[in-house]
Amino acid sequence: MSAVVTVGLDLAKHVFQVHAIDATGRVVTTRALRRKDVLAFFESLPCCLVGLEACGSAHHWARELMKFGHDVRLMPPAYVKAYVRRQKNDAADAAAICEAVTRPSMRFVPVRSVENQAALMHHKVRELLVAQRTQLLNTLRSHMAEIGIIAAQGPNNARALAILVIEGNDMIPATVRSALLQLVRQLSELDSEIRQSDQAILALAKADETARRLMTVSGIGPITASALAASVQDITAFSGPREFAAFLGLTPRQNSSGGKERLGRVSKMGNRYLRKLLVVGAHAVLFHRKRSGDMLRNWADRLMDTKPFKLVAVATANKLARIAFALMRDETHYVGTPA
């Protein structure tokens, strides 16, 4: 075991798979480890290169293995898949990880600290609460339609139905009201929890210098700024703003060959949450473009003269991503108002 220089570790809940090789590429050991034996196994190894897929619990295990002096590198699972030979199983996955981590062209994921993961957890929890609130509003709307009470589209109109239930409107039978009161009470609790999440994220954004710079851009509020600052730890990993926008899935999907360029729809690859926030921010810029004379809104207004709204929204989100890249890379403030 003293000859081990590279290890591929396939993570799991209970049974982990190890694939270790020496400097010549010869397989030293392939074995399965129970969860309780993982740390003891790596503690007995000399300091070596350890490859992991960036999946659930990967950052935790990376931090633990780094305490023993190992060089731990996380890789996107999609990039590791190309190195799997024939059948897929835990042993084949570990061998693929061991080979992929030695590739010079491999892109690695930075290991996150507990504090950084906690900041991202605020966003994930808020996202879940908002989804649950939307589900409740849709459920309330459909139940009220069963007794002939219809509301227009939009969350505010659905909330008007909740007010009718609370007030005990004559159009709502008592039996229906008693059934729907539970939904209305839960909706009120979710509103309170979401407000607390918003306040926590706002505090995180105000405490972070990068997030404060990002909030100076039209269309980027505290939630988007905090998510960008927490998600993208090393902006220098991207060669430029175009690569950063492509990483977020805000560029067309390519199917080019033979020197002929074929561009399709927006790829929607990368970080789905950041992409959604930037697109929502782009819609806010477009809806309020007449009220301000900053450069971004003027650019979007000129684009609206020749392009459909959906295309302009994605283009504006792409522009926001590029501006965010420049602010994070150069550590400068955004000047959006023309002189």
Side-chain angles (χ1 to χ4, degrees):
M1 299 298 292
S2 61
V4 172
V5 296
T6 306
V7 180
L9 176 63
D10 184 47
L11 299 177
K13 186 179 293 184
H14 299 297
V15 181
F16 297 66
Q17 186 71 34
V18 168
H19 186 96
I21 61 175
D22 60 14
T24 63
R26 182 179 62 88
V27 178
V28 177
T29 181
T30 58
R31 56 182 296 189
L33 296 173
R34 302 295 298 182
R35 184 183 183 90
K36 60 183 179 61
D37 300 324
V38 173
L39 293 181
F41 173 82
F42 281 95
E43 188 176 10
S44 65
L45 291 180
C47 295
C48 57
L49 175 64
V50 181
L52 304 173
E53 286 185 327
C55 56
S57 76
H59 294 280
H60 163 72
W61 287 109
R63 290 191 297 265
E64 293 298 317
L65 298 183
M66 289 170 65
K67 294 178 182 179
F68 300 136
H70 297 300
D71 181 11
V72 184
R73 300 183 185 180
L74 305 182
M75 298 167 289
Y79 293 174
V80 178
K81 184 178 180 181
Y83 297 92
V84 177
R85 299 174 185 174
R86 289 185 179 272
Q87 303 295 335
K88 183 193 182 303
N89 52 58
D90 292 345
D93 289 345
I97 293 170
C98 187
E99 183 176 353
V101 75
T102 61
R103 299 298 92 193
S105 60
M106 179 59 61
R107 171 172 286 177
F108 299 104
V109 178
V111 179
R112 299 187 182 277
S113 64
V114 176
E115 293 74 17
N116 181 257
Q117 285 189 296
L120 291 174
M121 286 178 189
H122 279 290
H123 289 271
K124 296 299 183 183
V125 169
R126 181 187 182 277
E127 188 78 354
L128 176 62
L129 294 176
V130 170
Q132 290 177 343
R133 182 174 64 180
T134 302
Q135 184 181 22
L136 281 178
L137 289 173
N138 291 337
T139 303
L140 181 63
R141 183 194 301 273
S142 62
H143 285 320
M144 294 292 278
E146 293 294 333
I147 59 173
I149 301 178
I150 307 297
Q153 292 184 353
N156 291 332
N157 295 314
R159 291 178 187 280
L161 297 178
I163 295 175
L164 293 179
V165 174
I166 294 174
E167 295 177 348
N169 191 279
D170 295 337
M171 296 184 296
I172 304 176
T175 54
V176 174
R177 180 174 180 272
S178 63
L180 297 183
L181 273 176
Q182 299 178 22
L183 293 180
V184 174
R185 284 194 293 265
Q186 192 173 359
L187 179 62
S188 177
E189 293 176 2
L190 281 175
D191 285 336
S192 176
E193 296 292 341
I194 292 173
R195 283 194 295 269
Q196 294 180 23
S197 293
D198 289 340
Q199 294 171 1
I201 293 174
L202 178 60
L204 289 173
K206 289 182 176 179
D208 189 277
E209 173 60 27
T210 301
R212 290 201 298 271
R213 290 199 306 272
L214 291 173
M215 283 191 291
T216 60
V217 183
S218 303
I220 298 182
I223 294 177
T224 307
S226 174
L228 282 168
S231 300
V232 185
Q233 295 181 286
D234 183 17
I235 196 65
T236 60
F238 302 96
S239 60
R242 295 183 68 178
E243 185 180 359
F244 180 62
F247 164 75
L248 296 176
L250 291 170
T251 52
R253 182 189 295 273
Q254 286 200 40
N255 188 26
S256 304
S257 180
K260 185 174 183 179
E261 203 174 61
R262 296 184 181 90
L263 302 180
R265 295 177 178 269
V266 176
S267 66
K268 295 185 179 180
M269 297 179 179
N271 194 312
R272 181 181 301 177
Y273 180 62
L274 291 181
R275 181 174 62 252
K276 185 191 77 169
L277 291 177
L278 289 173
V279 171
V280 170
H283 278 76
V285 170
L286 295 177
F287 286 140
H288 303 286
R289 65 186 184 278
K290 300 296 184 181
R291 302 181 185 179
S292 176
D294 63 84
M295 297 173 64
L296 179 61
R297 288 189 171 94
N298 290 338
W299 171 84
D301 197 26
R302 292 194 300 271
L303 205 60
M304 285 287 291
D305 294 336
T306 57
K307 304 293 182 182
F309 182 86
K310 289 184 178 180
L311 186 60
V312 176
V314 176
T316 306
N318 186 298
K319 177 75 76 173
L320 288 175
R322 296 187 184 204
I323 294 173
F325 174 87
L327 296 184
M328 290 189 287
R329 179 193 60 187
D330 301 332
E331 297 185 358
T332 57
H333 292 275
Y334 176 68
V335 181
T337 304

